Amino acid sequence: MTKRYLINVEPIEPSGIVLTIAELPRLVIFGQTAEDALGWAREAIASQLRDLPDGDQKPPPELVLGRAS
């Protein structure tokens, strides 16, 4: 089963976005575009999952976009 992570997307000035993930509070991703930041978020989450004892057996994360409240 694929693990889903709700990604909060917030624009930052002068340009770009910041992504945060409630389940991973220490992970903050900055990017010029949403596509770039989502790619980095996938890499960061996958890297953290690989470090777990059964990390090689876990499916890749599914990221679900949301909006910061």
Side-chain angles (χ1 to χ4, degrees):
M1 173 184 254
T2 299
K3 174 71 174 163
R4 287 185 171 188
Y5 292 91
L6 177 61
I7 305 295
N8 294 312
V9 180
E10 186 174 346
I12 54 175
E13 296 296 331
S15 65
I17 61 166
V18 63
L19 303 181
T20 56
I21 304 167
E23 292 178 332
L24 303 168
R26 294 173 41 181
L27 181 65
V28 179
I29 306 288
F30 296 92
Q32 292 282 330
T33 67
E35 293 80 20
D36 288 340
L38 285 171
W40 294 323
R42 281 187 189 93
E43 288 180 27
I45 294 168
S47 175
Q48 287 185 2
L49 293 177
R50 278 192 300 270
D51 291 342
L52 297 175
D54 61 346
D56 291 335
Q57 306 301 319
K58 293 189 180 288
E62 179 181 340
L63 304 181
V64 180
L65 289 179
R67 184 169 303 279
S69 50

